[in-house]
Amino acid sequence: MRGRVFRHDLGVCPVRESDSTVSPVVEAWATYRTTSAAEWNARRLVRAKGASRVSVVLPARNEEATVGAIVSTIREHLMDRVALVDELIVVDSRSTDRTAQVARAAGAEVVSQDAMTRGLPRLTGKGDALWAGLAAAEGDVVAFVDADLREFRPHFVTGLVGPLLTDPSVEFVKGFYHRPLVGATSVEPDGGGRVTELMARPLLNLFWPELAGFVQPLAGEYAGRRDVLAQVPFVSGYGVETAMLIDLLELVGLDALAQVDLGERKHRHQDTAALGRMSAQILLTVWSRLQRRGWAAPGADPTPLLTQFRRGGSEALPNLEREIVVSDVSIQERPPLAELRHRVPRRRMAAA
């Protein structure tokens, strides 16, 4: 259960009471609201969905190597063989390769992130592509799947939408999985969730312990009811998944959230410097939520500039043998889609 919260004169965030055992709320939730993708049969879900429509959205930026296989798999197994998925949308997030052409040839409807947000402030990052995908989707249930997955299987979709189509009390489903990290000489079976373990999980446990039962809070595979997703803002950068969990917890409560075991996830891994920038955006996202709830002093905004060091390089400083690299990791947010629906162009007009 949530402990007592104390305000600190210097704006340092809440101090909470702690236990040495798992919270009974978290344990009960994890037991009750966790399923396996193997439990959800596509044909049974077709019968369960009735008149509901299901949309699958893939945000994609320069993913021509993987997006085609994902689209083909969904279309073959979940649209042609069984009519579970009603629309399949790829959001082209300013790709400079053939992502859009490959996705369209494989059978997806492709929309442009910029076209879907025309007339609104220009934002960058994955969160804005997700918002554009939600704006384009017409399904009652919307599932998001990352476009860089390798060896993609249909159960990634059936597992996510299963609880939503069979239990009206579930509003949002998060995927989790094993994420192998392939090194030069070895493979760590669960070594791929570095930002989760080093940044996201400690923060959520500290300030939103109700969310401690989520195995993969940063997972890019999740699904929700469209009308619920339209009520939360989308952070433009890599903090989008963290913000979504926190905001949905406040909007619908823990019992309306669920998670599903999707098995193993294989995808491209980023280098340590990139993970540092991702972590910084997650930290800024959490700080913004703490401020909104009065848990951090208003106006005490941390700097959005992240200083890192790159070995060698043409501008390496004397004695350091490294060059200093400063990145702007600031975050912005799209307001909830429900607030801007009248300003979003029709999808057919927004196609790339």
Side-chain angles (χ1 to χ4, degrees):
M1 298 292 291
R2 180 176 292 176
R4 294 169 61 192
V5 179
F6 300 89
R7 289 294 303 276
H8 193 289
D9 290 342
L10 298 179
V12 177
C13 299
V15 176
R16 294 182 177 275
E17 298 171 349
S18 62
D19 299 313
S20 59
T21 58
V22 176
S23 160
V25 172
V26 171
E27 185 174 14
W29 175 85
T31 301
Y32 174 59
R33 285 304 197 195
T34 301
T35 59
S36 168
E39 299 177 34
W40 305 108
N41 175 271
R43 296 188 183 278
R44 181 167 69 89
L45 292 179
V46 170
R47 295 192 293 270
K49 80 170 189 173
S52 298
R53 288 175 55 81
V54 175
S55 302
V56 176
V57 174
L58 281 71
R61 179 179 175 86
N62 295 334
E63 302 294 357
E64 67 171 307
T66 51
V67 69
I70 298 173
V71 169
S72 295
T73 299
I74 295 173
R75 175 157 287 283
E76 177 185 353
H77 293 274
L78 302 178
M79 299 181 81
D80 296 338
R81 292 188 183 180
V82 297
L84 179 63
V85 174
D86 298 285
E87 63 176 358
L88 176 54
I89 299 170
V90 169
V91 181
D92 181 19
S93 183
R94 303 168 190 148
S95 297
T96 57
D97 65 0
R98 298 182 63 256
T99 292
Q101 296 93 316
V102 171
R104 191 176 289 110
E109 179 174 355
V110 177
V111 299
S112 162
Q113 175 182 340
D114 288 333
M116 288 305 305
T117 58
R118 186 181 299 122
L120 303 175
R122 179 181 171 90
L123 302 183
T124 60
K126 177 185 178 183
D128 194 46
L130 292 168
W131 191 95
L134 180 63
E138 298 177 351
D140 305 289
V141 170
V142 180
F144 295 102
V145 176
D146 280 348
D148 66 341
L149 302 187
R150 294 183 287 110
E151 301 180 23
F152 178 85
R153 297 291 183 269
H155 72 265
F156 269 63
V157 174
T158 54
L160 292 172
V161 303
L164 292 160
L165 295 177
T166 58
D167 186 344
S169 69
V170 175
E171 305 283 2
F172 179 82
V173 179
K174 189 83 168 179
F176 70 92
Y177 28 64
H178 297 291
R179 298 177 65 188
L181 180 62
V182 180
T185 59
S186 63
V187 177
E188 295 182 56
D190 286 299
R194 292 165 288 174
V195 175
T196 293
E197 300 305 326
L198 297 174
M199 178 59 70
R201 193 182 309 286
L203 287 171
L204 292 176
N205 275 263
L206 279 171
F207 303 117
W208 291 275
E210 303 96 322
L211 297 175
F214 280 92
V215 179
Q216 292 282 354
L218 301 185
E221 284 67 51
Y222 40 88
R225 301 194 189 280
R226 190 179 185 283
D227 59 348
V228 170
L229 294 173
Q231 296 180 58
V232 296
F234 279 54
V235 171
S236 61
Y238 285 104
V240 60
E241 281 86 14
T242 303
M244 190 177 296
L245 272 184
I246 295 170
D247 295 343
L248 286 171
L249 175 66
E250 182 178 86
L251 179 67
V252 299
L254 181 63
D255 189 55
L257 311 179
Q259 64 181 349
V260 61
D261 186 351
L262 300 177
E264 186 175 81
R265 183 188 200 266
K266 296 182 179 180
H267 65 117
R268 180 182 66 254
H269 294 284
Q270 302 201 50
D271 60 32
T272 303
L275 297 180
R277 294 188 290 273
M278 292 170 60
S279 297
Q281 287 197 317
I282 291 169
L283 183 56
L284 288 173
T285 300
V286 167
W287 184 266
S288 72
R289 266 58 193 168
L290 293 174
Q291 282 189 319
R292 291 180 187 182
R293 287 151 180 78
W295 296 352
D301 296 325
T303 176
L305 300 180
L306 177 66
T307 299
Q308 297 175 298
F309 295 90
R310 181 184 299 146
R311 189 166 184 171
S314 59
E315 300 181 14
L317 298 179
N319 302 323
L320 280 178
E321 296 183 358
R322 295 165 175 82
E323 60 182 3
I324 296 177
V325 180
V326 178
S327 303
D328 184 348
V329 294
S330 59
I331 60 170
Q332 297 173 286
E333 299 186 21
R334 288 280 183 221
L337 178 63
E339 297 179 7
L340 296 177
R341 194 62 183 134
H342 64 288
R343 298 183 57 185
V344 177
R346 294 178 58 188
R347 187 182 68 195
R348 302 298 176 187
M349 296 171 60

